[in-house]
Amino acid sequence: MLDLTLTEIAEALQGELVLTPEAVAAGYTPGTVLNGTVDTDSRLIGAGDLFVAKRGEFDDGHRFVPNAVEAGAALVVVEHPFAAEHGAALAVPQVVVADSVLALGHFATDVVRRVKALGALKIVGITGSNGKTTTKNLLRAVLERVGETVAPRDSFNNEVGAPLTMLKLTPSTRFLVAEMGASGKGEITRLIRMAKPDVGVVLTVGLAHAGEFGGIETTLATKTEMVQDLEPADVAVLNIDDPRVAGMAAKTAASVLWFGLNDKAAVRATEIDATAAGTSFVLHLPDGSSSPVRFAVLGEHHVMNALAAAAAAHTLGVPIATIVEALESVTRAERWRMEVLGGRDGVTVINDAYNASPDSMVAALKTLAQISGPGQRTVAVLGAMSELGEFSVEEHDRLGRLVVRLNIEKLVVVGEGARAIHLAAEHEGSWGGEAVFVETADQAFELVAADTRPNDLILVKSSNSAGLRFLGDRIADAHSTAETNA
């Protein structure tokens, strides 16, 4: 974080600074300067950090103020003076705000404004129904080779995670990569007003979170918020292969840079070859330069994320050699995202169970079928896709039919929310494979572990809420452990 006095921090939070006698005795004054990390998780607080007590759906961060102070917090942000409710004064400053989440946004907006005023900071905003986190990771890998880069950890892309990322800016930060997710209209606009992008990237508009959004048209309107406030000097990086994204070109004042597989894309890939070792392709940039890329991230669909990252980097002046070097250095999209785990007897597990939407499910199943080698059995372990609302049964049904059409040899469906996958596979018609339904991840583990054959290629895929990411780890670990103990 920037060096800021307690007074400046309180003003940025739009709150009231409270210095108890105990805090004054500990040496704090309104002019005390802090520069620690800001977080809402007391377990991540260290000496000199700032703890924001946030009320959640299942818990209240105010309960953990003592833990944060004991861990070394130099300031706590609270919605009521701590001593007033708990009967014990704190020996650290407090800033009392009306709403911790809104205050966090105000704070981030102020810090971004201060760093932006120094003149070097460039901001890239990334949104889309699929691929945000992977594209963010790829772009971070590129930009870190050029200058100090701040980007979210994990999928910190909402009204809490995005500000926490922005608050990591320092005076020497050259690039902020802001992943911007949303579950409803206006949420991306709110994040953009904290940190307006110089480059706005839109990847896809699909059915992810369609239940929350209320339909594809609302999803489209929400994702369009990324480019609507861009200015003529800014750049909108748009997926030319997605008609909904391509239509956003008419709704932005920014210049448009197209990426995709279409020949009209200024940033495009040709000669794509997907294997179990990754995907090779030739990258083409608008200046006429091109280069082969050996991309280790599994799945042909991730080439689009690589193109989006390359397009954003190109607009920021990064040369193609640096872009390619960075892309080739990334070996996985993210933990539990198309993560390849090897095991005994040539068994390979693809653990892609951190998130799932209809589009990403289709892409993962096609990858499973595409990369399997001779004599290698394909096994799909699938759980539910969440937040699809009225589209849920139809989209799960479609996946079951796709499994059959791709001739995946064994299907294990886990949980009631995914039962339609199993029913559709069984009713699709002639198929040489086998479909099994189980209620729990434990049952799935026992079934898969008992039936795994040498050289099996096993995909584990579901939404995060289904909890199958740990199942994928267990399957891989079981075979690795068996090999060690043999």
Side-chain angles (χ1 to χ4, degrees):
M1 194 186 78
L2 300 180
D3 290 343
L4 295 172
T5 67
L6 289 175
T7 296
E8 289 171 327
I9 292 170
E11 290 174 351
L13 287 161
Q14 298 185 15
E16 177 188 359
L17 176 63
V18 175
L19 289 171
T20 62
E22 290 81 0
V24 172
Y28 289 102
T29 72
T32 298
V33 175
L34 301 181
N35 58 10
T37 298
V38 182
D39 216 306
T40 58
D41 188 337
S42 63
R43 297 167 296 183
L44 301 178
I45 294 295
D49 290 345
L50 288 68
F51 175 65
V52 179
K54 177 181 71 72
R55 297 180 190 275
E57 184 178 355
F58 302 108
D59 212 335
D60 184 349
H62 291 80
R63 292 201 310 117
F64 302 100
V65 168
N67 305 64
V69 173
E70 184 178 353
L75 172 70
V76 295
V77 179
V78 292
E79 293 180 357
H80 45 72
F82 192 78
E85 181 168 307
H86 296 270
L90 296 178
V92 299
Q94 305 174 48
V95 175
V96 181
V97 299
D99 184 301
S100 294
V101 173
L102 292 179
L104 195 59
H106 298 322
F107 195 7
T109 302
D110 184 75
V111 167
V112 171
R113 177 187 60 78
R114 288 173 183 268
V115 178
K116 193 75 172 174
L118 299 175
L121 180 66
K122 293 294 184 181
I123 301 172
V124 182
I126 301 172
T127 196
S129 297
N130 299 292
K132 294 185 294 297
T133 300
T134 301
T135 303
K136 173 261 298 182
N137 288 341
L138 295 173
L139 184 56
R140 174 173 53 193
V142 176
L143 297 180
E144 283 177 339
R145 285 165 163 73
V146 179
E148 181 182 312
T149 301
V150 170
R153 69 176 189 257
D154 302 325
S155 295
F156 270 36
N157 59 24
N158 61 11
E159 61 185 355
V160 175
L164 290 177
T165 299
M166 297 170 193
L167 288 167
K168 296 182 185 295
L169 294 174
T170 73
S172 57
T173 303
R174 284 193 59 188
F175 304 107
L176 168 64
V177 181
E179 182 181 338
M180 296 180 174
S183 57
K185 291 181 69 173
E187 292 184 11
I188 291 176
T189 295
R190 185 157 55 248
L191 297 178
I192 285 172
R193 288 176 182 168
M194 295 179 198
K196 189 194 75 63
D198 301 286
V199 181
V201 181
V202 186
L203 302 168
T204 58
V205 174
L207 284 174
H209 313 296
E212 290 187 346
F213 280 111
I216 194 69
E217 292 308 316
T218 306
T219 304
L220 173 59
T222 302
K223 301 303 182 186
T224 303
E225 294 171 15
M226 172 60 75
V227 300
Q228 284 178 322
D229 287 344
L230 296 184
E231 299 171 359
D234 300 328
V235 180
V237 174
L238 302 179
N239 180 356
I240 198 171
D241 296 337
D242 185 319
R244 295 187 179 94
V245 176
M248 296 180 189
K251 299 187 177 181
T252 183
S255 60
V256 174
L257 179 61
W258 300 109
F259 72 91
L261 306 183
N262 190 301
D263 289 341
K264 295 180 181 178
V267 178
R268 69 186 189 282
T270 60
E271 302 178 41
I272 299 173
D273 183 26
T275 69
T279 308
S280 63
F281 62 95
V282 176
L283 172 65
H284 301 265
L285 295 183
D287 59 8
S289 60
S290 64
S291 175
V293 180
R294 283 192 285 268
F295 191 42
V297 177
L298 188 65
E300 184 176 323
H301 55 292
H302 282 306
V303 171
M304 292 297 287
N305 300 326
L307 292 177
H314 175 76
T315 68
L316 297 170
V318 182
I320 191 169
T322 303
I323 293 172
V324 171
E325 178 187 9
L327 292 178
E328 292 187 336
S329 74
V330 179
T331 58
R332 68 180 184 186
E334 178 69 271
R335 180 79 168 101
W336 298 310
R337 288 179 169 90
M338 295 302 284
E339 183 176 17
V340 180
L341 305 170
R344 173 174 56 90
D345 295 331
V347 174
T348 301
V349 177
I350 304 170
N351 195 348
D352 192 27
Y354 187 84
N355 226 332
S357 68
D359 290 338
S360 69
M361 275 281 202
V362 169
L365 288 169
K366 287 182 176 179
T367 297
L368 176 66
Q370 185 178 34
I371 68 173
S372 61
Q376 191 171 36
R377 185 176 67 153
T378 49
V379 180
V381 183
L382 306 181
M385 299 177 287
S386 61
E387 301 174 357
L388 290 178
E390 63 181 294
F391 305 101
S392 183
V393 173
E394 175 186 348
E395 292 300 325
H396 284 90
D397 179 274
R398 187 163 70 98
L399 289 180
R401 299 179 188 281
L402 180 64
V403 166
V404 174
R405 292 166 189 171
L406 291 174
N407 201 30
I408 291 168
E409 293 162 82
K410 183 161 186 173
L411 169 65
V412 179
V413 178
V414 187
E416 278 298 328
R419 186 183 284 274
I421 301 175
H422 177 250
L423 295 174
E426 286 199 321
H427 289 92
E428 178 60 11
S430 178
W431 177 39
E434 174 190 8
V436 182
F437 174 81
V438 295
E439 293 281 356
T440 68
D442 286 340
Q443 291 171 343
F445 173 75
E446 292 172 4
L447 176 68
V448 174
D451 183 52
T452 300
R453 304 172 188 173
N455 299 316
D456 273 358
L457 181 61
I458 304 170
L459 168 70
V460 182
K461 177 74 173 169
S462 72
S463 283
N464 193 9
S465 58
L468 298 198
R469 61 194 187 281
F470 302 116
L471 172 62
D473 289 344
R474 288 177 68 192
I475 294 171
D477 288 346
H479 292 283
S480 295
T481 302
E483 180 181 42
T484 301
N485 294 339

